[in-house]
mmCIF file of all heavy atoms in Angstrom:
data_model
loop_
_atom_site.group_PDB
_atom_site.id
_atom_site.type_symbol
_atom_site.label_atom_id
_atom_site.label_comp_id
_atom_site.label_asym_id
_atom_site.label_seq_id
_atom_site.Cartn_x
_atom_site.Cartn_y
_atom_site.Cartn_z
ATOM 1 N N PRO A 32 5.272 1.860 9.703
ATOM 2 C CA PRO A 32 5.449 2.704 8.540
ATOM 3 C C PRO A 32 5.783 1.927 7.285
ATOM 4 O O PRO A 32 5.481 2.398 6.221
ATOM 5 C CB PRO A 32 6.688 3.587 8.929
ATOM 6 C CG PRO A 32 6.680 3.585 10.454
ATOM 7 C CD PRO A 32 6.194 2.284 10.866
ATOM 8 N N ASP A 33 6.401 0.722 7.417
ATOM 9 C CA ASP A 33 6.696 -0.043 6.234
ATOM 10 C C ASP A 33 5.457 -0.622 5.519
ATOM 11 O O ASP A 33 5.545 -1.192 4.463
ATOM 12 C CB ASP A 33 7.713 -1.135 6.525
ATOM 13 C CG ASP A 33 7.176 -2.218 7.473
ATOM 14 O OD1 ASP A 33 6.180 -2.021 8.143
ATOM 15 O OD2 ASP A 33 7.878 -3.249 7.623
ATOM 16 N N ARG A 34 4.321 -0.414 6.130
ATOM 17 C CA ARG A 34 3.021 -0.849 5.526
ATOM 18 C C ARG A 34 2.342 0.242 4.705
ATOM 19 O O ARG A 34 1.363 0.011 4.032
ATOM 20 C CB ARG A 34 2.056 -1.346 6.589
ATOM 21 C CG ARG A 34 2.496 -2.622 7.289
ATOM 22 C CD ARG A 34 1.434 -3.055 8.295
ATOM 23 N NE ARG A 34 0.180 -3.334 7.557
ATOM 24 C CZ ARG A 34 -1.008 -3.559 8.195
ATOM 25 N NH1 ARG A 34 -1.069 -3.530 9.496
ATOM 26 N NH2 ARG A 34 -2.099 -3.767 7.516
ATOM 27 N N ILE A 35 2.925 1.408 4.710
ATOM 28 C CA ILE A 35 2.334 2.597 4.061
ATOM 29 C C ILE A 35 3.087 3.025 2.813
ATOM 30 O O ILE A 35 4.314 3.057 2.842
ATOM 31 C CB ILE A 35 2.254 3.798 5.096
ATOM 32 C CG1 ILE A 35 1.258 3.417 6.203
ATOM 33 C CG2 ILE A 35 1.755 5.046 4.371
ATOM 34 C CD1 ILE A 35 1.187 4.432 7.270
ATOM 35 N N VAL A 36 2.300 3.290 1.775
ATOM 36 C CA VAL A 36 2.855 3.788 0.519
ATOM 37 C C VAL A 36 2.073 5.063 0.158
ATOM 38 O O VAL A 36 0.848 4.978 0.184
ATOM 39 C CB VAL A 36 2.793 2.742 -0.662
ATOM 40 C CG1 VAL A 36 3.467 3.306 -1.900
ATOM 41 C CG2 VAL A 36 3.448 1.442 -0.204
ATOM 42 N N THR A 37 2.772 6.058 -0.241
ATOM 43 C CA THR A 37 2.082 7.260 -0.698
ATOM 44 C C THR A 37 2.249 7.420 -2.218
ATOM 45 O O THR A 37 3.188 6.858 -2.814
ATOM 46 C CB THR A 37 2.639 8.545 0.009
ATOM 47 O OG1 THR A 37 3.941 8.780 -0.479
ATOM 48 C CG2 THR A 37 2.565 8.427 1.518
ATOM 49 N N GLY A 38 1.382 8.218 -2.787
ATOM 50 C CA GLY A 38 1.491 8.437 -4.247
ATOM 51 C C GLY A 38 0.679 9.645 -4.688
ATOM 52 O O GLY A 38 0.095 10.354 -3.853
ATOM 53 N N CYS A 39 0.611 9.846 -5.972
ATOM 54 C CA CYS A 39 -0.042 11.031 -6.556
ATOM 55 C C CYS A 39 -1.544 10.824 -6.586
ATOM 56 O O CYS A 39 -2.135 10.674 -7.698
ATOM 57 C CB CYS A 39 0.539 11.293 -7.936
ATOM 58 S SG CYS A 39 -0.078 12.766 -8.749
ATOM 59 N N GLY A 40 -2.172 10.725 -5.417
ATOM 60 C CA GLY A 40 -3.606 10.459 -5.283
ATOM 61 C C GLY A 40 -3.829 8.912 -5.235
ATOM 62 O O GLY A 40 -2.979 8.109 -5.638
ATOM 63 N N SER A 41 -4.955 8.521 -4.718
ATOM 64 C CA SER A 41 -5.238 7.111 -4.589
ATOM 65 C C SER A 41 -5.383 6.487 -5.924
ATOM 66 O O SER A 41 -5.116 5.261 -6.124
ATOM 67 C CB SER A 41 -6.521 6.899 -3.725
ATOM 68 O OG SER A 41 -7.614 7.549 -4.284
ATOM 69 N N VAL A 42 -5.796 7.217 -6.976
ATOM 70 C CA VAL A 42 -5.917 6.634 -8.323
ATOM 71 C C VAL A 42 -4.571 6.240 -8.833
ATOM 72 O O VAL A 42 -4.434 5.148 -9.497
ATOM 73 C CB VAL A 42 -6.617 7.637 -9.273
ATOM 74 C CG1 VAL A 42 -5.830 8.900 -9.481
ATOM 75 C CG2 VAL A 42 -6.878 6.940 -10.600
ATOM 76 N N ALA A 43 -3.538 6.967 -8.577
ATOM 77 C CA ALA A 43 -2.158 6.577 -9.026
ATOM 78 C C ALA A 43 -1.756 5.325 -8.344
ATOM 79 O O ALA A 43 -1.124 4.426 -8.903
ATOM 80 C CB ALA A 43 -1.198 7.722 -8.781
ATOM 81 N N LEU A 44 -2.100 5.249 -7.047
ATOM 82 C CA LEU A 44 -1.712 4.003 -6.284
ATOM 83 C C LEU A 44 -2.481 2.812 -6.801
ATOM 84 O O LEU A 44 -1.905 1.696 -6.870
ATOM 85 C CB LEU A 44 -1.974 4.229 -4.766
ATOM 86 C CG LEU A 44 -0.999 5.229 -4.154
ATOM 87 C CD1 LEU A 44 -1.506 5.610 -2.738
ATOM 88 C CD2 LEU A 44 0.403 4.621 -4.024
ATOM 89 N N ALA A 45 -3.726 2.962 -7.228
ATOM 90 C CA ALA A 45 -4.452 1.857 -7.832
ATOM 91 C C ALA A 45 -3.724 1.384 -9.126
ATOM 92 O O ALA A 45 -3.627 0.231 -9.394
ATOM 93 C CB ALA A 45 -5.885 2.265 -8.131
ATOM 94 N N GLU A 46 -3.228 2.359 -9.844
ATOM 95 C CA GLU A 46 -2.455 2.036 -11.089
ATOM 96 C C GLU A 46 -1.208 1.310 -10.725
ATOM 97 O O GLU A 46 -0.818 0.266 -11.382
ATOM 98 C CB GLU A 46 -2.102 3.304 -11.792
ATOM 99 C CG GLU A 46 -1.408 3.078 -13.157
ATOM 100 C CD GLU A 46 -1.164 4.408 -13.848
ATOM 101 O OE1 GLU A 46 -1.368 5.469 -13.301
ATOM 102 O OE2 GLU A 46 -0.734 4.343 -15.035
ATOM 103 N N HIS A 47 -0.500 1.697 -9.652
ATOM 104 C CA HIS A 47 0.722 0.981 -9.233
ATOM 105 C C HIS A 47 0.377 -0.387 -8.734
ATOM 106 O O HIS A 47 1.213 -1.357 -8.924
ATOM 107 C CB HIS A 47 1.420 1.820 -8.182
ATOM 108 C CG HIS A 47 1.880 3.147 -8.638
ATOM 109 N ND1 HIS A 47 2.464 3.360 -9.871
ATOM 110 C CD2 HIS A 47 1.911 4.380 -8.023
ATOM 111 C CE1 HIS A 47 2.784 4.621 -10.024
ATOM 112 N NE2 HIS A 47 2.471 5.258 -8.924
ATOM 113 N N LEU A 48 -0.750 -0.515 -8.060
ATOM 114 C CA LEU A 48 -1.184 -1.860 -7.625
ATOM 115 C C LEU A 48 -1.363 -2.833 -8.858
ATOM 116 O O LEU A 48 -0.980 -3.973 -8.786
ATOM 117 C CB LEU A 48 -2.471 -1.799 -6.829
ATOM 118 C CG LEU A 48 -2.305 -1.376 -5.359
ATOM 119 C CD1 LEU A 48 -3.629 -0.829 -4.822
ATOM 120 C CD2 LEU A 48 -1.889 -2.601 -4.590
ATOM 121 N N ALA A 49 -1.967 -2.285 -9.901
ATOM 122 C CA ALA A 49 -2.141 -3.119 -11.108
ATOM 123 C C ALA A 49 -0.776 -3.484 -11.682
ATOM 124 O O ALA A 49 -0.555 -4.614 -12.111
ATOM 125 C CB ALA A 49 -2.971 -2.348 -12.135
ATOM 126 N N LYS A 50 0.172 -2.521 -11.744
ATOM 127 C CA LYS A 50 1.488 -2.849 -12.247
ATOM 128 C C LYS A 50 2.201 -3.898 -11.402
ATOM 129 O O LYS A 50 2.938 -4.724 -11.898
ATOM 130 C CB LYS A 50 2.321 -1.584 -12.289
ATOM 131 C CG LYS A 50 1.996 -0.553 -13.287
ATOM 132 C CD LYS A 50 2.919 0.616 -13.191
ATOM 133 C CE LYS A 50 2.555 1.701 -14.223
ATOM 134 N NZ LYS A 50 3.484 2.909 -14.117
ATOM 135 N N ALA A 51 2.013 -3.861 -10.101
ATOM 136 C CA ALA A 51 2.659 -4.751 -9.210
ATOM 137 C C ALA A 51 2.089 -6.147 -9.187
ATOM 138 O O ALA A 51 2.737 -7.083 -8.664
ATOM 139 C CB ALA A 51 2.678 -4.181 -7.773
ATOM 140 N N THR A 52 0.854 -6.305 -9.685
ATOM 141 C CA THR A 52 0.197 -7.633 -9.571
ATOM 142 C C THR A 52 -0.126 -8.272 -10.905
ATOM 143 O O THR A 52 -0.219 -9.519 -10.963
ATOM 144 C CB THR A 52 -1.157 -7.466 -8.877
ATOM 145 O OG1 THR A 52 -1.981 -6.514 -9.533
ATOM 146 C CG2 THR A 52 -0.929 -7.067 -7.408
ATOM 147 N N CYS A 53 -0.251 -7.487 -12.038
ATOM 148 C CA CYS A 53 -0.783 -8.032 -13.249
ATOM 149 C C CYS A 53 0.255 -8.063 -14.370
ATOM 150 O O CYS A 53 1.024 -7.107 -14.554
ATOM 151 C CB CYS A 53 -1.998 -7.225 -13.709
ATOM 152 S SG CYS A 53 -3.402 -7.392 -12.660
ATOM 153 N N LEU A 54 0.180 -9.144 -15.147
ATOM 154 C CA LEU A 54 0.874 -9.239 -16.430
ATOM 155 C C LEU A 54 -0.231 -9.241 -17.538
ATOM 156 O O LEU A 54 -1.414 -9.510 -17.227
ATOM 157 C CB LEU A 54 1.721 -10.480 -16.511
ATOM 158 C CG LEU A 54 2.939 -10.500 -15.558
ATOM 159 C CD1 LEU A 54 3.580 -11.892 -15.538
ATOM 160 C CD2 LEU A 54 3.978 -9.469 -15.983
ATOM 161 N N PRO A 55 0.182 -9.000 -18.775
ATOM 162 C CA PRO A 55 -0.829 -9.048 -19.875
ATOM 163 C C PRO A 55 -1.576 -10.331 -19.870
ATOM 164 O O PRO A 55 -1.026 -11.399 -19.732
ATOM 165 C CB PRO A 55 -0.009 -8.848 -21.118
ATOM 166 C CG PRO A 55 1.179 -8.039 -20.682
ATOM 167 C CD PRO A 55 1.489 -8.523 -19.255
ATOM 168 N N GLY A 56 -2.938 -10.223 -19.908
ATOM 169 C CA GLY A 56 -3.808 -11.390 -19.922
ATOM 170 C C GLY A 56 -4.359 -11.713 -18.529
ATOM 171 O O GLY A 56 -5.320 -12.523 -18.433
ATOM 172 N N ASP A 57 -3.779 -11.198 -17.483
ATOM 173 C CA ASP A 57 -4.339 -11.372 -16.162
ATOM 174 C C ASP A 57 -5.648 -10.588 -16.014
ATOM 175 O O ASP A 57 -5.954 -9.713 -16.925
ATOM 176 C CB ASP A 57 -3.373 -10.902 -15.092
ATOM 177 C CG ASP A 57 -2.218 -11.902 -14.918
ATOM 178 O OD1 ASP A 57 -2.340 -13.043 -15.330
ATOM 179 O OD2 ASP A 57 -1.190 -11.466 -14.384
ATOM 180 N N GLU A 58 -6.445 -10.826 -15.017
ATOM 181 C CA GLU A 58 -7.753 -10.214 -14.886
ATOM 182 C C GLU A 58 -7.884 -9.365 -13.655
ATOM 183 O O GLU A 58 -7.309 -9.639 -12.606
ATOM 184 C CB GLU A 58 -8.829 -11.355 -14.818
ATOM 185 C CG GLU A 58 -8.962 -12.152 -16.062
ATOM 186 C CD GLU A 58 -9.909 -13.345 -15.944
ATOM 187 O OE1 GLU A 58 -10.323 -13.606 -14.800
ATOM 188 O OE2 GLU A 58 -10.165 -13.985 -16.980
ATOM 189 N N ILE A 59 -8.633 -8.242 -13.800
ATOM 190 C CA ILE A 59 -8.956 -7.354 -12.704
ATOM 191 C C ILE A 59 -10.474 -7.300 -12.665
ATOM 192 O O ILE A 59 -11.160 -7.025 -13.614
ATOM 193 C CB ILE A 59 -8.364 -5.955 -12.859
ATOM 194 C CG1 ILE A 59 -6.844 -6.039 -12.882
ATOM 195 C CG2 ILE A 59 -8.839 -5.043 -11.812
ATOM 196 C CD1 ILE A 59 -6.173 -4.644 -13.178
ATOM 197 N N VAL A 60 -11.031 -7.665 -11.521
ATOM 198 C CA VAL A 60 -12.463 -7.733 -11.317
ATOM 199 C C VAL A 60 -12.924 -6.443 -10.566
ATOM 200 O O VAL A 60 -12.298 -6.065 -9.545
ATOM 201 C CB VAL A 60 -12.882 -8.981 -10.483
ATOM 202 C CG1 VAL A 60 -14.337 -8.959 -10.157
ATOM 203 C CG2 VAL A 60 -12.498 -10.248 -11.275
ATOM 204 N N TYR A 61 -13.978 -5.871 -11.027
ATOM 205 C CA TYR A 61 -14.549 -4.723 -10.320
ATOM 206 C C TYR A 61 -16.034 -4.613 -10.703
ATOM 207 O O TYR A 61 -16.540 -5.175 -11.668
ATOM 208 C CB TYR A 61 -13.816 -3.427 -10.633
ATOM 209 C CG TYR A 61 -13.650 -3.084 -12.125
ATOM 210 C CD1 TYR A 61 -14.642 -2.420 -12.811
ATOM 211 C CD2 TYR A 61 -12.478 -3.501 -12.757
ATOM 212 C CE1 TYR A 61 -14.440 -2.107 -14.167
ATOM 213 C CE2 TYR A 61 -12.313 -3.212 -14.144
ATOM 214 C CZ TYR A 61 -13.283 -2.468 -14.803
ATOM 215 O OH TYR A 61 -13.111 -2.206 -16.128
ATOM 216 N N SER A 62 -16.777 -3.857 -9.864
ATOM 217 C CA SER A 62 -18.173 -3.583 -10.109
ATOM 218 C C SER A 62 -18.334 -2.528 -11.173
ATOM 219 O O SER A 62 -17.428 -1.730 -11.386
ATOM 220 C CB SER A 62 -18.864 -3.149 -8.794
ATOM 221 O OG SER A 62 -20.251 -3.088 -8.933
ATOM 222 N N TRP A 63 -19.523 -2.562 -11.881
ATOM 223 C CA TRP A 63 -19.719 -1.521 -12.887
ATOM 224 C C TRP A 63 -21.192 -1.161 -12.958
ATOM 225 O O TRP A 63 -22.026 -2.051 -13.035
ATOM 226 C CB TRP A 63 -19.238 -2.035 -14.239
ATOM 227 C CG TRP A 63 -19.092 -0.875 -15.200
ATOM 228 C CD1 TRP A 63 -19.915 -0.576 -16.274
ATOM 229 C CD2 TRP A 63 -18.048 0.119 -15.144
ATOM 230 N NE1 TRP A 63 -19.481 0.549 -16.876
ATOM 231 C CE2 TRP A 63 -18.329 1.015 -16.275
ATOM 232 C CE3 TRP A 63 -16.949 0.354 -14.362
ATOM 233 C CZ2 TRP A 63 -17.563 2.123 -16.538
ATOM 234 C CZ3 TRP A 63 -16.201 1.487 -14.641
ATOM 235 C CH2 TRP A 63 -16.490 2.372 -15.691
ATOM 236 N N ARG A 64 -21.516 0.125 -12.734
ATOM 237 C CA ARG A 64 -20.566 1.165 -12.874
ATOM 238 C C ARG A 64 -19.899 1.497 -11.541
ATOM 239 O O ARG A 64 -20.552 1.478 -10.508
ATOM 240 C CB ARG A 64 -21.235 2.464 -13.377
ATOM 241 C CG ARG A 64 -20.350 3.667 -13.522
ATOM 242 C CD ARG A 64 -20.989 4.796 -14.211
ATOM 243 N NE ARG A 64 -21.080 4.590 -15.616
ATOM 244 C CZ ARG A 64 -20.108 4.884 -16.505
ATOM 245 N NH1 ARG A 64 -18.933 5.412 -15.995
ATOM 246 N NH2 ARG A 64 -20.201 4.689 -17.730
ATOM 247 N N SER A 65 -18.540 1.703 -11.628
ATOM 248 C CA SER A 65 -17.766 2.135 -10.478
ATOM 249 C C SER A 65 -16.808 3.208 -10.977
ATOM 250 O O SER A 65 -17.102 3.876 -11.996
ATOM 251 C CB SER A 65 -17.057 0.956 -9.867
ATOM 252 O OG SER A 65 -16.501 1.308 -8.579
ATOM 253 N N PHE A 66 -15.713 3.385 -10.322
ATOM 254 C CA PHE A 66 -14.799 4.483 -10.650
ATOM 255 C C PHE A 66 -14.303 4.374 -12.085
ATOM 256 O O PHE A 66 -13.774 3.268 -12.522
ATOM 257 C CB PHE A 66 -13.600 4.466 -9.681
ATOM 258 C CG PHE A 66 -12.644 5.596 -9.832
ATOM 259 C CD1 PHE A 66 -13.035 6.890 -10.266
ATOM 260 C CD2 PHE A 66 -11.323 5.426 -9.520
ATOM 261 C CE1 PHE A 66 -12.149 7.902 -10.394
ATOM 262 C CE2 PHE A 66 -10.412 6.455 -9.641
ATOM 263 C CZ PHE A 66 -10.808 7.704 -10.057
ATOM 264 N N GLU A 67 -14.461 5.425 -12.858
ATOM 265 C CA GLU A 67 -14.222 5.395 -14.285
ATOM 266 C C GLU A 67 -12.758 5.153 -14.634
ATOM 267 O O GLU A 67 -12.401 4.833 -15.760
ATOM 268 C CB GLU A 67 -14.692 6.669 -14.972
ATOM 269 C CG GLU A 67 -13.987 7.938 -14.520
ATOM 270 C CD GLU A 67 -14.579 9.152 -15.210
ATOM 271 O OE1 GLU A 67 -14.640 9.202 -16.484
ATOM 272 O OE2 GLU A 67 -14.958 10.091 -14.545
ATOM 273 N N ALA A 68 -11.816 5.293 -13.658
ATOM 274 C CA ALA A 68 -10.407 5.014 -13.934
ATOM 275 C C ALA A 68 -10.069 3.533 -13.965
ATOM 276 O O ALA A 68 -9.053 3.131 -14.511
ATOM 277 C CB ALA A 68 -9.538 5.718 -12.883
#
C-alpha cells in the first residue's frame, strides 16, 4: 500500500509528480501531440 497514491484524477497526480520532481528551469520531455494537460 505504501507504493500507491490517489488523487483527483490521474491528471492531478501528473501535476503532483511535476511538483515533486521539478524546479524552475528543469525539463519535462513528452511526445507531441499528446495529452493537452
Side-chain angles (χ1 to χ4, degrees):
D33 64 347
R34 294 184 58 190
I35 295 175
V36 183
T37 68
C39 185
S41 57
V42 63
L44 289 168
E46 184 177 9
H47 298 318
L48 279 159
K50 289 181 180 178
T52 56
C53 293
L54 293 170
D57 288 339
E58 295 172 351
I59 298 178
V60 174
Y61 51 87
S62 190
W63 196 254
R64 178 172 284 275
S65 191
F66 184 31
E67 64 182 305

